[in-house]
Amino acid sequence: MDGQLTAFTAVAAGMVTMPGADFAVVVRNALDSRRAGVATAFGVAGGLLVHTALAVAGLAAVLVAVPALFGAVQLLGGGYLLYLGARALIGAFHRPASPSDAAADGTPAADGTPAAEGTPADADQPAAPLGTARSLRQGFLANALNPKAPVLFLSLLPQFVPAGQPALPRTLLLAAVVVAMALVWFPAVALLVDRLGTWLRRPRVARALQATTGALLTVLGGVLLAEVVLA
């Protein structure tokens, strides 16, 4: 048995499953629909494929060695996470109500039942669903613009290349392990969220979950931008 490969698999599983921006984006989009969640999950896996490919090719070393380039990626990544976080927070506090929600929250029903004070007249209009391409793009960019990933893979992959073995085939295998795990984990998260959709899409639960993911994305984006400013 390849002990180093087993150890790397355990480390990679921890990295992939650790809640972060990728997890938050997948959950947020899976609340919209199963298709959007799964597309976002595949986008995240695509971003990981880019990072691992760069590490294998050695291009990640260039990114790390050029502070201005690394800072630019941090600005892009932080700004994009802030954008996604802000959209999630806005959606959480302006989430349209469905007719079934009206009875629970006091929203006017279609038969003219009085609305609760302060309820928007168009609150029962459904939000436009996320498209597959847009969800895929959001997942890809959320991962691909993470500047910490190149540093992580560049420092991690060589540690699991046994002495005397060719580096390229081994790093390709390690990269494939990471991407394969992402292709299993993130779609599973999306499907689980969709499976629990009846409960998770209840007005109060949905708002709380969307607000939580929005806050997480905003904090992560703010941390990235703060690192650039304070560097």
Side-chain angles (χ1 to χ4, degrees):
M1 177 179 287
D2 190 330
Q4 284 192 320
L5 182 59
T6 301
F8 176 80
T9 301
V11 172
M15 289 191 315
V16 170
T17 59
M18 183 180 299
D22 300 335
F23 183 86
V25 173
V26 170
V27 169
R28 191 202 69 174
N29 288 358
L31 283 173
D32 185 84
S33 70
R34 179 193 306 177
R35 183 189 297 270
V38 172
T40 305
F42 280 116
V44 169
L48 277 172
L49 180 61
V50 169
H51 288 304
T52 54
L54 288 175
V56 170
L59 296 179
V62 177
L63 179 63
V64 176
V66 182
L69 183 58
F70 186 76
V73 174
Q74 278 188 298
L75 286 173
L76 287 172
Y80 189 66
L81 291 182
L82 281 178
Y83 165 74
L84 292 180
R87 286 183 60 88
L89 289 173
I90 291 172
F93 292 105
H94 296 82
R95 190 177 182 88
S98 67
S100 61
D101 299 337
D105 292 352
T107 307
D111 60 359
T113 303
E117 184 177 355
T119 303
D122 60 349
D124 59 349
Q125 297 301 316
L130 286 169
T132 301
R134 181 180 174 189
S135 301
L136 185 71
R137 182 173 64 252
Q138 287 185 354
F140 177 79
L141 291 177
N143 187 278
L145 293 178
N146 180 3
K148 299 296 181 66
V151 181
L152 177 62
F153 286 115
L154 189 64
S155 60
L156 182 65
L157 295 183
Q159 306 302 318
F160 294 91
V161 177
Q165 282 195 13
L168 182 58
R170 181 69 172 192
T171 51
L172 284 172
L173 174 61
L174 299 178
V177 168
V178 175
V179 175
M181 285 190 168
L183 285 171
V184 172
W185 170 249
F186 289 108
V189 170
L191 292 175
L192 178 61
V193 171
D194 180 72
R195 183 77 173 177
L196 299 174
T198 301
W199 180 74
L200 292 177
R201 293 186 181 98
R202 291 178 179 176
R204 293 181 181 178
V205 177
R207 290 190 187 100
L209 187 57
Q210 192 165 4
T212 300
T213 57
L216 176 60
L217 290 168
T218 302
V219 169
L220 291 173
V223 168
L224 287 177
L225 293 179
E227 289 180 353
V228 177
V229 173
L230 299 176

